[in-house]
Amino acid sequence: MATLGPEPRPHSQLPSAALQTNLSGLGSSTNLPLNRGLERALEDAANSGFLNLSARKLKEFPRTASNYDLTDTVEADLSKNRLMDIPSEVCHLVSLEMLNLYHNCIKSIPDTIISLQSLTCLNISRNQLSVLPACVCGLPLRVLNASNNKLNALPESIGQLTNLMELDVSCNEITALPRHTGQLKALRELNVHRNLLCVLPEDLADLPLVKFDFSCNKVSTIPVCYRKMTQLQSLQLENNPLQSPPAQICMKGKIHIFKYLTMEACRSDKMVDALYLPDIDQHKKLDSDSGVGSDNGDKRLSATEVSLCVCVCVCVCVCVTVFFRTHKTLESVDPQFTMRRKMEQLREELELIEQLRESIESRLKVVLPEDLGSSLMDGVVLCHLVNHIRPRSVASIHVPSPAVPKLSMAKCRRNVENFLDACRKMGVPEDKLCLPHHILEEKGLIKVGITVQALLDETSASETLIT
């Protein structure tokens, strides 16, 4: 009879050391692809300047990041993780221009974020913030998205963000906008959708807003001065208990709303003017008590002189009142009430802007958006225009991509500077060259038009000489 070997033991009776070895080996093989992916992301960031750690279930910044040189990182995407705080390591990335912290569990922003003095875009939406600290207002931000948090107020120092162009604080619990919001002179898009606002600040009328969304609030009145928002293209005001303008006016759209506000402004101006007109009936009483002399020997005015004085006083009062009130009205109401000189100046500027649009569209065979300034801001269209006139004038153009739809400010500036350098080389005089901020900050479309027209003129002159 053959001798049999020892009976094999069940899995549960394996030595504990062997069992732990097997389990640890299983765990390491499972985590290996994730670690490799993380290391690869850090390595790519060291080479490209773009750190992508999105959707990795991170609760803290990777400790192995210290093995890589990330000092030149310009974009960091830490969205869709489980971060409770903004990692201190992120605040050391002093070259950072874009920071995406969307959909985490962040409850506070550290003061050390102030060290990111190149940061132009901050997305901290869908977190658990209850306070937006004042240190954020010390950053050179152009885009700030703090939507879907638990904010009940904005910092009073919000006016320090003088470069801010887009502000999204929708889906919070904000009860009032700070008065310094009117100091955001570069702001083009403001979204306060789904908050607890009851009053809209009048100072917003002085901002160059293109998009304004205050839907789903508790606003009952739109300030009359909002009729001065001539650049406004999109106005969202649904789900508010509006009484002025009435609901039936608001349902007809922006044009009818602005007509209503203009009529209200004219009505209020006429009422104020009436308060300043002199009471002529009182002057008539003076005529009945007139004469050459008096009992006490004082010289008294004749009836004719009194009437003349009354007429002069009335004329002066009316003229002064009409001048000041009309001047104020013409300055503040819609263009149809402005002075002829300003109308002519505005017409000339609009013609120059339309000429700029037509020049670009006819050369590049494209249709530009209605907001011409924002379409030229990143310098891409202008660089393509130069290359169309003289190929390879701009050797490299930074363009947006589906993954990064908006260029960083550094890339926009490079495009703009390359465009201006190409214009110089093609013979455009210095006195006709616009400055970079005229394009980047959309503050000088007229000067941009002059530059483009000078470029086309120089090109036409060169082609004429060649022929």
Side-chain angles (χ1 to χ4, degrees), residues 55-119:
R56 293 181 182 272
K57 301 180 181 179
L58 298 176
K59 293 184 178 180
E60 60 180 10
F61 201 72
R63 297 179 181 179
T64 55
S66 59
N67 299 329
Y68 301 89
D69 183 9
L70 302 178
T71 54
D72 293 331
T73 304
V74 293
E75 298 180 23
D77 187 352
L78 298 172
S79 61
K80 300 179 182 178
N81 282 293
R82 301 174 182 176
L83 300 173
M84 301 290 290
D85 299 291
I86 298 179
S88 59
E89 294 87 348
V90 172
C91 298
H92 296 154
L93 305 177
V94 294
S95 299
L96 208 59
E97 296 178 4
M98 297 181 65
L99 178 57
N100 187 357
L101 296 167
Y102 162 78
H103 210 317
N104 277 278
C105 306
I106 298 172
K107 296 182 179 180
S108 63
I109 299 177
D111 293 339
T112 51
I113 199 173
I114 194 66
S115 61
L116 302 180
Q117 284 302 308
S118 296
L119 193 66

